[in-house]
Amino acid sequence: MTDDEYERRVIDVLTSTHPGWYYEQRDLPGLPRWWATRYYPLRPDQRKAGARDVLGRTTLHGLIRALAHHDKILHNLRY
């Protein structure tokens, strides 16, 4: 399996487990490579608790961890 195939499979899994996000890869110098953008904006109380509308990380594994942390924030708010 190539790196591209692996990354596509991981994105497919993320799409099924975190369906409220749009995922993309950007190869721009100095910026994170992997991005997740929420389809719907958060409420003010969710933002105050630390949730974000956009997550960017340099690695796909880092993005997965950020999404898990984000889910924990929303779960604690009973979202």
Side-chain angles (χ1 to χ4, degrees):
M1 175 182 308
T2 67
D3 287 345
D4 288 340
E5 290 170 331
Y6 172 76
E7 290 170 352
R8 184 69 250 159
R9 286 186 183 196
V10 171
I11 294 298
D12 289 344
V13 170
L14 285 176
T15 300
S16 67
T17 57
H18 302 277
W21 298 84
Y22 170 75
Y23 301 97
E24 63 182 322
Q25 176 186 354
R26 298 181 201 157
D27 288 323
L28 300 173
L31 292 176
R33 182 174 185 203
W34 294 99
W35 294 85
T37 305
R38 289 184 58 82
Y39 284 119
Y40 303 103
L42 295 164
R43 300 185 317 250
D45 64 316
Q46 294 168 326
R47 283 194 186 92
K48 186 176 179 181
R52 299 290 175 251
D53 291 307
V54 178
L55 300 172
R57 297 296 184 271
T58 56
T59 65
L60 195 48
H61 185 67
L63 184 61
I64 292 167
R65 286 193 319 261
L67 287 163
H69 178 72
H70 193 273
D71 282 352
K72 185 177 179 182
I73 291 170
L74 295 181
H75 176 77
N76 289 340
L77 291 174
R78 311 251 188 256
Y79 177 66

